[in-house]
Amino acid sequence: MELEEERVGDAFVVTARGRLDGASSSIFADRISGLMTNQKPKILIDFTEVDFVTSAGLRAVLILLKKVKAADGSFALCGVQNSVREVLDISGFTAMINIHPARSDGIAALSP
Amino acid sequence: MAPLETEVLATSEAISALTEKVLAYLEEQQVDSRAAHHVALVVEEIVTNLGTHGNCRDKPAKIRLMVEPAQVTGEIIDTGPPFDLRLAPDPAIEAPLEERPIGGLGLYLIRKLTSTLEYSHQNGQNLTTFAIARS
């Protein structure tokens, strides 16, 4: 998995590419956790090029969600592919995460 | 159509390579992307579980996939302790975030993404078979 972060105002927008699985989930969790240094961290992850999320990946997302919630921040995804979306739906994640159709929608929702 | 037959040790590198192989095979067999995704994910979750709870870090599991007109079927054979993944409890997927346990999702995804899921234990081997519908 490749990760590339960009600062947009007081938020971080992270472009993820590849598979979020057992081989990449801890790198993903560590890298995103590293961006949560502010009070109320704001994180948007662009999943447009993520084609595969396993239960190990879901665990990493859940850990990040709990951290963001504990810090009173926000965590959102955008551009989620249909098959990945189905996995998020089945696992009950859609109810816990804001999912925006496109990156521009996600960025618009970040502004205060 | 020729089946895909392979063996895999349950390490994260080997499982990633297996997923590549499964996706390439299903694409070559012109399986739609949704079914291909689900088959690759189910195989990955089953083998990952064998690495965590079985003995497949040392002894490889055997994988066989067959593309049929209406579905893709899979067989996984391992020599670990008997384990029927159909019987594992469902995780609390409706619990609020603060109370949601971390884990238990792999087996749940396997049960939800497959249209049939069978298990038997014979001659010291576990045989797990599944089918996923094509569209």
Side-chain angles (χ1 to χ4, degrees):
Chain A
M1 155 152 286
E2 283 175 45
L3 296 166
E4 198 180 305
E5 69 244 23
E6 182 191 344
R7 229 195 143 101
V8 177
D10 59 349
F12 281 104
V13 180
V14 182
T15 306
R17 294 190 186 91
R19 293 205 304 262
L20 180 52
D21 58 10
S24 64
S25 59
S26 43
I27 298 164
F28 174 82
D30 290 351
R31 184 89 172 261
I32 310 283
S33 293
L35 302 175
M36 297 183 189
T37 47
N38 291 356
Q39 294 279 319
K40 304 190 179 184
K42 291 184 187 174
I43 310 278
L44 171 67
I45 305 181
D46 187 340
F47 259 39
T48 307
E49 292 176 64
V50 174
D51 47 21
F52 205 78
V53 178
T54 69
S55 61
L58 292 175
R59 270 199 298 282
V61 170
L62 190 56
I63 290 167
L64 293 170
L65 272 173
K66 286 180 185 259
K67 279 193 182 176
V68 167
K69 175 110 183 185
D72 198 20
S74 72
F75 183 95
L77 300 177
C78 62
V80 180
Q81 296 184 17
N82 288 340
S83 301
V84 172
R85 172 80 191 217
E86 210 178 323
V87 168
L88 294 175
D89 284 343
I90 291 170
S91 321
F93 277 53
T94 333
M96 300 189 291
I97 311 177
N98 286 322
I99 301 179
H100 304 285
R103 187 182 176 102
S104 54
D105 304 311
I107 291 176
L110 286 171
S111 1
Chain B
M1 281 183 245
L4 172 70
E5 289 176 327
T6 188
E7 293 195 351
V8 66
L9 281 176
T11 63
S12 61
E13 295 78 16
I15 294 171
S16 279
L18 172 69
T19 299
E20 293 281 357
K21 195 187 270 190
V22 168
L23 288 170
Y25 166 75
L26 295 173
E27 187 179 348
E28 182 192 297
Q29 302 285 330
Q30 299 181 337
V31 171
D32 64 286
S33 63
R34 176 178 178 270
H37 172 275
H38 290 2
V39 170
L41 183 53
V42 164
V43 171
E44 171 150 350
E45 295 291 354
I46 292 175
V47 178
T48 299
N49 188 60
L50 293 178
T52 316
H53 301 292
N55 63 355
C56 291
R57 287 188 161 266
D58 312 311
K59 291 188 184 165
K62 290 182 186 154
I63 319 282
R64 187 168 193 273
L65 293 179
M66 278 277 277
V67 176
E68 297 172 12
Q71 62 182 11
V72 179
T73 58
E75 286 178 13
I76 288 96
I77 296 174
D78 72 275
T79 56
F83 179 67
D84 185 345
L85 54 81
R86 296 173 301 178
L87 305 179
D90 284 349
I93 63 154
E94 285 172 10
L97 177 57
E98 295 81 353
E99 291 160 28
R100 259 198 86 139
I102 310 273
L105 281 169
L107 300 178
Y108 185 68
L109 284 175
I110 295 166
R111 293 197 296 271
K112 289 290 179 183
L113 293 174
T114 49
S115 38
T116 62
L117 183 62
E118 305 291 339
Y119 168 80
S120 64
H121 184 82
Q122 285 170 1
N123 308 321
Q125 292 189 325
N126 295 302
L127 169 64
T128 304
T129 58
F130 69 85
I132 290 176
R134 299 173 64 179
S135 53

